[in-house]
Amino acid sequence: MTGNEATPPPGDLLLQAVEGMARPLAVLDEEWRIRYINEAGAGALGHRADELIGRDVWDTFPEAVAGPFERLYREVRETGIPASTEAWYGPLSSWFRADAFLTSAGLVITFDDVTARHRAEEERAAAVAAREA
C-alpha cells in the first residue's frame, strides 16, 4: 500500500497515541476553553486532566493573562501561523517553551518545562563571568 492509498488511522488510535505521549499537549476551543489536555500536560501544570477539561484557560491560569503565552496563543489564532515562545511562569516557578498551531479541532499547544536548561545556562554564564573577573 502506498502513502496515497493509506487510510487515516481511527480516532481512538490517535487518542491513545496522544494520551501516551510524554510531551504535554492541550487543545483550546474558540472560546478559550480547554477542550483536551493529556495527562502529561495536566501534570506539568499541577492538575489532573479531568480537573481542566471544559475550563476557561484564562480563568484557570490568570497569571498567564497579558503575558507571553497569551500573546502567543492569540497571535497563532489570528494568523494561523504556527509559532512558539519561551517564558517564565511564576506560579510554577518554571520556564516553559510553548509551541502552538491552529487546526480544525482548535488551537493545539505543546509545551515543555525548560527550567533545567535555563539554570544550566545561568550557571555557565556566572562561571564565565567569575573567570573573567
Side-chain angles (χ1 to χ4, degrees), residues 1-9:
M1 175 165 37
T2 66
N4 293 339
E5 297 168 352
T7 58

Side-chain angles (χ1 to χ4, degrees), residues 103-129:
T103 70
S104 59
L107 182 69
V108 178
I109 302 158
T110 58
F111 54 97
D112 297 293
D113 183 332
V114 293
T115 306
R117 180 176 51 81
H118 273 267
R119 286 192 182 130
E121 289 170 358
E122 291 169 1
E123 289 171 6
R124 271 193 300 272
V128 168

Side-chain angles (χ1 to χ4, degrees), residues 5 7 24 32 34 36 41 57 60-61 63 71-72 105-106 109 115 133:
E5 297 168 352
T7 58
W32 301 107
I34 301 166
Y36 172 81
V57 71
T60 305
F61 303 103
E63 297 86 355
R71 286 192 294 276
L72 169 68
I109 302 158
T115 306

Side-chain angles (χ1 to χ4, degrees), residues 73-88:
Y73 304 161
R74 289 189 186 279
E75 175 187 321
V76 171
R77 168 125 333 127
E78 291 169 11
T79 66
I81 299 169
S84 62
T85 194
E86 195 164 292
W88 177 256

Side-chain angles (χ1 to χ4, degrees), residues 8-27 36-41 108 110:
D12 61 337
L13 177 65
L14 292 175
L15 181 60
Q16 289 174 31
V18 172
E19 283 291 325
M21 284 176 37
R23 187 162 196 218
L25 180 139
V27 180
Y36 172 81
I37 189 164
N38 64 5
E39 287 297 335
V108 178
T110 58

